Amino acid sequence: MHRSHGSEIDSLIRLLAKLPGLGPRSAKRAILHLIKKRESLMAPLAKLLADVAEAIHVCGTCGNLDTRSPCHVCRDPRRDPSIICVVEDVADLWALDRSETYKGRYHVLGGVLSALDGIMPEDLNIGGLLDRARAEEVKEIILAMNATVDGRTTAHYVTERLTGCAVKVTALAHGVPVGGELDYLDDGTLAAALKERKPL
Amino acid sequence: MHRSHGSEIDSLIRLLAKLPGLGPRSAKRAILHLIKKRESLMAPLAKLLADVAEAIHVCGTCGNLDTRSPCHVCRDPRRDPSIICVVEDVADLWALDRSETYKGRYHVLGGVLSALDGIMPEDLNIGGLLDRARAEEVKEIILAMNATVDGRTTAHYVTERLTGCAVKVTALAHGVPVGGELDYLDDGTLAAALKERKPL
């Protein structure tokens, strides 16, 4: 019962509080901030949200989210079409792309195999990946699933399905995160980092 | 440069990252969440934001923000018109009202006096408060500014300006916050709590 503000503001707070990272209190603070910047922030945000909600597409090629399909990555002629980096989720694609070191294409699986959650191969976009891998131009598939049990299982499964395609299948390197302190790392990471040690 | 998503999504992330409590990363996560719940969350949020941005008013009586003026609080006939609680900000009004123990009206000053920030009495809605305090029905003014130096200065100033009005001027009690641990409290709070101790 928020009798201090109207029912519309109330509904707005309730909707905004559903965003990850916001709760009822921070949603209220956000609303007050928005109302203070009504012209410069609130109205443009409302318009862009409506526009994007209207225009958003799942890219038919790679599964990225964009206002057009094929997406920006798939349309970019400067990107190397011979490498495809396979990720679980659009968030992973965006994260990898933020580093700006990878200049190939992507493929979003849309999740990982999980016996627990009942996610089977046919729930993931593996067929699309196989089709793309069979294309003449594709030389390498980088598997960039999360380093979880389900991520590894999925990588293993995808590797098996790719046998027969004339592509090199690689995976992200394991090791000490840059800036990471050894004391805080788990044994698995330390073992991987030791095993994969390199001459300086 | 986020080449992995379109310029519209990019602008949306940049706008959303301006909200308090969100940064570029959490804004991205929020956008992905919104896109996943396009029908149930993104579109309604866009509509409500536009509606509220269009309809929001500063209440002409108390300074609360609402889609109508006078606001919900000022229009509510169940609220006691003889008590006015003076707060710095709309956020404070909403916070006080959340507790649901206060059933009077409010008055939003719109800030506190601050020599440092150059905020003078004429920048605050003190005139409106004096007009309201002179009304026959008003018996008590509760000063609920923050317990900061500027808040106290403002409370002191408002009290002086109210001399001559036939109202009782009160302030929020100081003491140990409910659930607070003594060890973590500052000396000022402890001193106030000791001084204002009560028989059980």
Side-chain angles (χ1 to χ4, degrees):
Chain A
M1 285 290 288
H2 299 283
R3 275 183 241 89
S4 48
H5 37 75
S7 55
E8 270 173 314
I9 297 184
D10 225 34
S11 317
L12 194 51
I13 291 170
R14 239 176 294 124
L15 277 185
L16 212 62
K18 285 184 187 169
L19 293 187
L22 287 178
R25 277 191 193 210
S26 43
K28 268 188 202 179
R29 261 193 303 141
I31 295 293
L32 284 170
H33 184 80
L34 281 168
I35 289 173
K36 270 178 201 159
K37 310 213 163 190
R38 178 151 60 127
E39 297 297 327
S40 65
L41 188 57
M42 195 172 193
L45 182 61
K47 192 178 173 321
L48 258 176
L49 275 172
D51 288 353
V52 172
E54 180 78 25
I56 200 80
H57 280 96
V58 175
C59 173
T61 308
C62 75
N64 189 12
L65 289 166
D66 202 346
T67 43
R68 280 185 284 178
S69 174
C71 73
H72 274 67
V73 175
C74 290
R75 267 192 327 223
D76 190 338
R78 291 163 305 177
R79 286 195 174 253
D80 185 351
S82 72
I83 315 178
I84 296 174
C85 181
V86 183
V87 293
E88 293 179 16
D89 224 338
V90 175
D92 300 327
L93 190 165
W94 292 3
L96 273 174
D97 221 52
R98 203 176 46 221
S99 72
E100 292 191 33
T101 49
Y102 176 67
K103 300 294 179 203
R105 305 284 168 92
Y106 291 95
H107 190 86
V108 179
L109 285 182
V112 276
L113 298 176
S114 166
L116 215 64
D117 298 333
I119 296 172
M120 310 299 287
E122 55 268 28
D123 299 322
L124 305 179
N125 187 12
I126 294 176
L129 177 63
L130 295 179
D131 290 345
R132 293 179 73 189
R134 278 185 207 110
E136 181 78 52
E137 57 185 11
V138 177
K139 306 290 178 221
E140 181 178 355
I141 306 268
I142 305 174
L143 300 181
M145 282 72 135
N146 291 329
T148 56
V149 172
D150 286 345
R152 279 165 197 229
T153 310
T154 311
H156 195 77
Y157 178 83
V158 170
T159 311
E160 265 186 12
R161 290 288 299 270
L162 282 169
T163 32
C165 298
V167 290
K168 189 165 82 175
V169 180
T170 57
L172 291 187
H174 290 299
V176 180
V178 176
E181 294 185 44
L182 296 194
D183 198 18
Y184 291 96
L185 288 175
D186 62 300
D187 295 348
T189 305
L190 284 176
L194 262 177
K195 205 176 137 205
E196 306 290 329
R197 68 188 178 278
K198 288 174 186 172
L200 277 179
Chain B
M1 284 292 288
H2 299 284
R3 277 184 239 89
S4 48
H5 38 74
S7 54
E8 271 173 315
I9 297 183
D10 224 36
S11 317
L12 194 50
I13 291 171
R14 237 177 296 123
L15 277 184
L16 211 62
K18 286 184 186 169
L19 293 187
L22 287 178
R25 277 189 193 211
S26 42
K28 268 188 203 179
R29 260 193 303 140
I31 295 295
L32 284 169
H33 184 80
L34 281 167
I35 289 174
K36 270 177 200 158
K37 309 212 165 189
R38 179 151 59 128
E39 296 298 326
S40 65
L41 188 55
M42 195 172 191
L45 182 61
K47 193 178 173 320
L48 258 176
L49 274 172
D51 288 354
V52 171
E54 178 79 24
I56 200 79
H57 279 97
V58 175
C59 173
T61 309
C62 75
N64 190 10
L65 289 167
D66 202 347
T67 42
R68 282 185 282 179
S69 173
C71 73
H72 273 66
V73 176
C74 290
R75 267 191 329 221
D76 190 338
R78 290 162 305 177
R79 287 194 172 252
D80 185 351
S82 72
I83 316 179
I84 296 174
C85 181
V86 183
V87 291
E88 292 180 16
D89 224 336
V90 175
D92 300 327
L93 189 165
W94 290 4
L96 273 172
D97 222 52
R98 202 177 46 221
S99 73
E100 291 190 33
T101 49
Y102 175 67
K103 301 293 179 202
R105 304 284 168 92
Y106 291 96
H107 190 86
V108 180
L109 285 182
V112 277
L113 298 176
S114 165
L116 216 63
D117 298 332
I119 296 171
M120 311 298 289
E122 55 268 28
D123 299 320
L124 305 179
N125 187 11
I126 294 176
L129 177 64
L130 295 178
D131 290 346
R132 293 179 73 190
R134 279 183 206 110
E136 181 77 53
E137 56 185 12
V138 177
K139 306 290 179 220
E140 181 178 355
I141 307 267
I142 306 175
L143 300 179
M145 283 72 134
N146 291 329
T148 57
V149 172
D150 286 346
R152 280 166 196 227
T153 311
T154 310
H156 195 78
Y157 178 82
V158 170
T159 312
E160 265 186 12
R161 292 286 299 272
L162 283 168
T163 33
C165 298
V167 290
K168 188 166 79 173
V169 180
T170 58
L172 292 186
H174 289 297
V176 180
V178 176
E181 293 185 43
L182 295 194
D183 197 19
Y184 291 97
L185 288 175
D186 62 300
D187 295 348
T189 305
L190 285 176
L194 262 176
K195 204 175 137 204
E196 307 291 329
R197 66 189 180 278
K198 288 174 183 171
L200 279 178

